[in-house]
Amino acid sequence: MSSFSSSLSCPTYRSRTSSSPFLSTHHSLINVVDPRRSLSFHSASPQGPNLSELCVRSQQRKSVQSSALVQDGSVATKSSPAEELKDGLVTIPTIKADNVVAESNGGKNQSTVSITVVGASGDLAKKKIFPALFALYYEGCLPEHFTIFGYARSKMTDAELRDMVSRTLTCRIDKRANCNEKMEEFLKRCFYHSGQYDSQEHFVALDKKLKEHEGGRLSNRLFYLSIPPNIFVDAVKCASSSASSVNGWTRVIVEKPFGRDSKTSAALTKSLKQYLEEDQIFRSVLRFSNLIFEPLWSRQYIRNVQFIFSEDFGTEGRGGYFDNYGIIRDIMQNHLLQILALFAMETPVSLDAEDIRNEKVKVLRSMRPIQLEDVVIGQYKGQTTGGVTYPGYTDDKTVPKDSLTPTFAAAALFIDNARWDGVPFLMKAGKALNTRSAEIRVQFRHVPGNLYNRNSGTDLDQTTNELVIRVQPDEAIYLKINNKVPGLGMRLDRSNLNLLYSARYSKEIPDAYERLLLDAIEGERRLFIRSDELNAAWALFTPLLKEIEEKKTIPEFYPYGSRGPVGAHYLAAKHKVQWGDLSLES
């Protein structure tokens, strides 16, 4: 993920590699629950309960495991004929909880969770999913009874899977003496099954193994599809028909991107309608719970808003996958656009999922079509610095030598409504840049008739108040203000009112994948977007992508480790904006 995650609310957000208290954008969750079915997409998700609160909730539920009914209303699932896709969550057919509460006989009324990582031999599973599951186990967040299965085409034994997983597990939360014991206990819960992703027979064999470990308990099943998008429909079909729970819920998480444009996204959604259902919740905190910000949240006081995502590494052998999508589809169309919608939406009637999503859709449908002249694309080239050679994008053996796929993009977007008319919303995302960061920057208008202009120089941008929500690294919220330098003279300086999360809170910020997995297990649906949101997002970007590809637009080259294409600066200047992350202070 590429990576981005946190929780926005001024939105506050969370990043894909770090789960800051701010913003969260990267996967799709197909939540198989309810008598209905649905497909859901994990995108920019505002802050919810912290990991400790979720763990407490999980432990409370352990005491009532004899009931199949989950607090959010999700109930046990059971295979049945295909039903209509409703919101964005894939829910494999279910039956009412009161019909599946197991009889109390020798402990078999207890529930168990079986987590299957499909694509278990891949980098994402090894580096993110298994470590996140271990962190949840380490903190006591997983149910008392759980089993983890790795599923992939590679031939592997249980012991080989455990050896592979053990190399990536760490006790990052603290150094308690029982860490090694916890690791050994966790690895004993991990098993492996080899099979094809489109084989009903292999999923039937998986189902048999899952039942053996579930031991007659009320079974809940979570499938994490860590596989390319072009094969997850087959995997969902097999999981639904051959390995779904017969007396509990079944949920499926799929990785983004969801399609390449409006047409392919709609086709994927249609294919999943017979298996899945969508339902999700988003929450806003910073903006709506602080009186100081809400009155300022409009064109009257805000000059521009910037959504910035940068990685300091390239595709590193994953170029073949990335080349199919590019940075606009990978980051801008989903992560950054969802953050923008959360940022710009009107105050919802309530924090109910539907109320929030309704407001987000209104924003997306109010957005002006993106013009090619308001977009800059780039591609990184190789560079040698300090005796170290960094390869260019097309030096990746998995990438075609003549590839025009952008690894960098900057765009100016506009919302044609009363609140935001004329305010430029600038997005910028790229790989192989000079820094790793994810942040939202809100630049306020200049003070009219400012009495102190001569005391602060001619560069008005240096005296602009700016609110920065930094998702990664070093999660923080800070406000740039002007203050008088101590002394007898009258000289102004710029300072930060800074909330650095690591300094303010001693608790470890959970990784994005920990939050995602725990929410999926708990049936917490705040991390997903609705299908009409997805349609609106693709409607905005599909014409642009089509024009870029039809015209074979050549990306501007930029050196590996630089600040990106020069064209991005001209784009900002065109709209009378200076990128906040490129200032001398930053």
Side-chain angles (χ1 to χ4, degrees), residues 163 200 262 294 306 358 429 436 493 529:
D163 180 62
Q200 300 276 5
S262 295
E294 175 56 21
Q306 302 173 21
N358 289 341
R436 180 178 74 92
D493 190 17
I529 67 172

Side-chain angles (χ1 to χ4, degrees), residues 323-390:
D323 200 65
N324 273 326
Y325 297 95
I327 199 72
I328 296 177
R329 293 182 178 93
D330 191 43
I331 299 297
M332 296 180 80
Q333 180 273 336
N334 45 61
H335 301 326
L336 296 187
L337 188 60
Q338 286 303 313
I339 296 168
L340 185 156
L342 282 164
F343 179 96
M345 71 182 186
E346 296 296 321
T347 305
V349 174
S350 74
L351 293 179
D352 179 76
E354 293 306 306
D355 291 333
I356 294 176
R357 287 183 292 191
N358 289 341
E359 297 303 330
K360 289 170 63 187
V361 170
K362 288 179 186 177
V363 171
L364 296 176
R365 290 177 176 169
S366 299
M367 296 190 72
R368 190 183 306 172
I370 305 173
Q371 304 300 315
L372 186 57
E373 56 265 30
D374 280 332
V375 176
V376 171
I377 60 173
Q379 186 183 98
Y380 67 88
K381 62 181 182 180
Q383 175 172 255
T384 300
T385 305
V388 179
T389 299
Y390 299 93

Side-chain angles (χ1 to χ4, degrees), residues 114-412:
S114 298
I115 304 166
T116 301
V117 181
V118 181
S121 58
D123 280 349
L124 178 64
K126 288 186 285 188
K127 295 177 180 178
K128 292 292 182 181
I129 302 172
F130 284 109
L133 287 169
F134 172 65
L136 292 175
Y137 174 69
Y138 190 77
E139 287 296 292
C141 297
L142 293 182
E144 179 182 354
H145 300 285
F146 74 92
T147 304
I148 297 171
F149 259 86
Y151 184 98
R153 290 176 295 202
S154 306
K155 298 296 181 182
M156 200 184 309
T157 64
D158 292 345
E160 288 170 333
L161 173 76
R162 291 165 183 165
D163 180 62
M164 178 191 79
V165 170
S166 66
R167 298 173 195 166
T168 61
L169 302 185
T170 61
C171 297
R172 65 168 181 79
I173 298 175
D174 59 36
K175 301 293 182 182
R176 279 179 276 188
N178 67 343
C179 179
N180 288 333
E181 293 177 15
K182 284 280 190 180
M183 279 189 185
E184 291 177 9
E185 293 168 4
F186 174 79
L187 291 171
K188 289 177 182 177
R189 306 277 193 110
C190 297
F191 303 89
Y192 186 78
H193 183 75
S194 176
Q196 297 297 315
Y197 301 130
D198 59 353
S199 170
Q200 300 276 5
E201 179 184 354
H202 293 169
F203 272 86
V204 168
L206 171 66
D207 178 64
K208 183 178 179 181
K209 286 188 177 180
L210 292 175
K211 287 178 178 175
E212 291 174 359
H213 289 276
E214 289 163 352
R217 297 183 180 89
L218 176 67
S219 64
N220 298 313
R221 296 182 179 180
L222 175 67
F223 291 86
Y224 196 118
L225 303 190
S226 178
I227 52 179
N230 62 315
I231 56 177
F232 72 64
V233 172
D234 287 336
V236 167
K237 178 181 179 181
C238 292
S240 172
S241 61
S242 304
S244 62
S245 172
V246 296
N247 60 1
W249 52 254
T250 302
R251 297 171 184 152
V252 183
I253 301 174
V254 299
E255 280 283 331
K256 65 91 190 160
F258 196 77
R260 299 187 77 255
D261 51 30
S262 295
K263 184 177 180 180
T264 56
S265 175
L268 283 174
T269 301
K270 183 178 180 181
S271 297
L272 292 169
K273 278 184 179 180
Q274 50 190 316
Y275 314 116
L276 321 167
E277 172 192 324
E278 44 184 326
D279 194 6
Q280 223 72 19
I281 294 178
F282 286 90
R283 218 174 260 179
S284 291
V285 179
L286 183 62
R287 168 184 167 191
F288 298 127
S289 66
N290 290 282
L291 182 61
I292 187 174
F293 292 125
E294 175 56 21
L296 306 180
W297 226 252
S298 73
R299 62 188 297 273
Q300 185 175 357
Y301 297 103
I302 292 178
R303 187 162 59 112
N304 69 82
V305 185
Q306 302 173 21
F307 303 92
I308 300 169
F309 174 82
S310 63
E311 291 179 330
D312 56 2
F313 53 88
T315 53
E316 299 181 346
R318 292 184 64 250
Y321 168 79
F322 181 85
D323 200 65
N324 273 326
Y325 297 95
I327 199 72
I328 296 177
R329 293 182 178 93
D330 191 43
I331 299 297
M332 296 180 80
Q333 180 273 336
N334 45 61
H335 301 326
L336 296 187
L337 188 60
Q338 286 303 313
I339 296 168
L340 185 156
L342 282 164
F343 179 96
M345 71 182 186
E346 296 296 321
T347 305
V349 174
S350 74
L351 293 179
D352 179 76
E354 293 306 306
D355 291 333
I356 294 176
R357 287 183 292 191
N358 289 341
E359 297 303 330
K360 289 170 63 187
V361 170
K362 288 179 186 177
V363 171
L364 296 176
R365 290 177 176 169
S366 299
M367 296 190 72
R368 190 183 306 172
I370 305 173
Q371 304 300 315
L372 186 57
E373 56 265 30
D374 280 332
V375 176
V376 171
I377 60 173
Q379 186 183 98
Y380 67 88
K381 62 181 182 180
Q383 175 172 255
T384 300
T385 305
V388 179
T389 299
Y390 299 93
Y393 176 67
T394 55
D395 294 331
D396 188 325
K397 294 179 180 179
T398 63
V399 174
K401 292 298 181 184
D402 59 350
S403 174
L404 298 179
T405 299
T407 60
F408 175 97

Side-chain angles (χ1 to χ4, degrees), residues 9 19 33 83 167 218 227 308 314 361 491 513 555:
S9 203
S19 166
V33 229
E83 297 180 30
R167 298 173 195 166
L218 176 67
I227 52 179
I308 300 169
V361 170
R491 186 165 66 89
Y513 284 85

Side-chain angles (χ1 to χ4, degrees), residues 299 337 340 361-375 411-427 536-544 574-575:
R299 62 188 297 273
L337 188 60
L340 185 156
V361 170
K362 288 179 186 177
V363 171
L364 296 176
R365 290 177 176 169
S366 299
M367 296 190 72
R368 190 183 306 172
I370 305 173
Q371 304 300 315
L372 186 57
E373 56 265 30
D374 280 332
V375 176
L413 296 86
F414 293 87
I415 302 171
D416 291 333
N417 65 17
R419 182 182 289 268
W420 298 113
D421 183 40
V423 176
F425 287 78
L426 271 67
M427 287 184 182
W538 276 122
L540 185 64
F541 273 94
T542 293
L544 170 68
K574 172 184 173 182
H575 296 285

